[in-house]
Amino acid sequence: MPRFLTMIRIDEQNQPAEAFPADFEQRMGALLEEITKAGVMLDTAGLLPTSESTRLSWSGGKISYTDGPFTETKEVVGGYSLTQCKDKAEAVEWTKRFLEIHPAHWNVSAEVREIQEM
C-alpha cells in the first residue's frame, strides 16, 4: 500500500494573533484518533518555527549554512504527516478533513506527495 508525505504549509509572517478556538484541540484529537484507528496514520507532528532551524545548501562542492528565520520565504512547512493509504484520493480526503478543522479565516495549505518506494 502506498505511503504519502503530507506537508502542512503556513505563513509564519501572518499567522492569526488569536489563540486556537476552544474546541480546536478536541476536534483535532478526534480526527487523529480516527485516522490512527483506521490504520492510516504512521506519524505526524508540528514543527518548531524556522527561527529555530538551519538550512543547509550544497553548491559548487561546498556546504553553506543559514540559520532561520527565513524572512525571504513566505510559506514554510509547519507540520507533516506520514500516512499509508490505498491511493492518493484517500490521502487527499484525510488531508481535506484535517484542513477543514481549522478556522475559516486561517490560511493553511497542504501538499500531498506519494513516497517513491525503493
Side-chain angles (χ1 to χ4, degrees):
M1 194 169 341
R3 296 182 302 152
F4 295 87
L5 177 66
T6 299
M7 294 169 280
I8 306 303
R9 297 189 181 275
I10 60 171
D11 180 351
E12 281 189 328
Q13 313 300 319
N14 296 304
Q15 287 191 300
E18 69 272 4
F20 286 102
D23 64 341
F24 179 81
E25 287 190 28
Q26 180 183 12
R27 292 184 297 134
M28 185 62 73
L31 176 63
L32 294 178
E33 184 177 331
E34 181 183 349
I35 194 171
T36 299
K37 284 184 178 176
V40 171
M41 182 65 74
L42 302 176
D43 191 25
T44 188
L47 300 175
L48 292 175
T50 59
S51 61
E52 299 181 39
S53 66
T54 300
R55 184 176 290 163
L56 285 75
S57 299
W58 174 255
S59 179
K62 294 181 180 179
I63 293 282
S64 62
Y65 303 86
T66 305
D67 289 330
F70 308 116
T71 54
E72 74 281 0
T73 304
K74 183 171 180 173
E75 284 189 337
V76 300
V77 177
Y80 72 93
S81 70
L82 181 61
T83 57
Q84 190 163 30
C85 302
K86 65 181 180 191
D87 55 27
K88 183 178 174 185
E90 182 183 16
V92 168
E93 177 61 25
W94 284 112
T95 302
K96 175 182 150 278
R97 292 184 58 193
F98 171 84
L99 292 176
E100 289 174 341
I101 288 176
H102 293 77
H105 65 283
W106 285 30
N107 293 317
V108 182
S109 63
E111 180 177 335
V112 178
R113 298 183 68 175
E114 185 171 347
I115 295 173
Q116 182 177 14
E117 303 294 345
M118 297 191 183

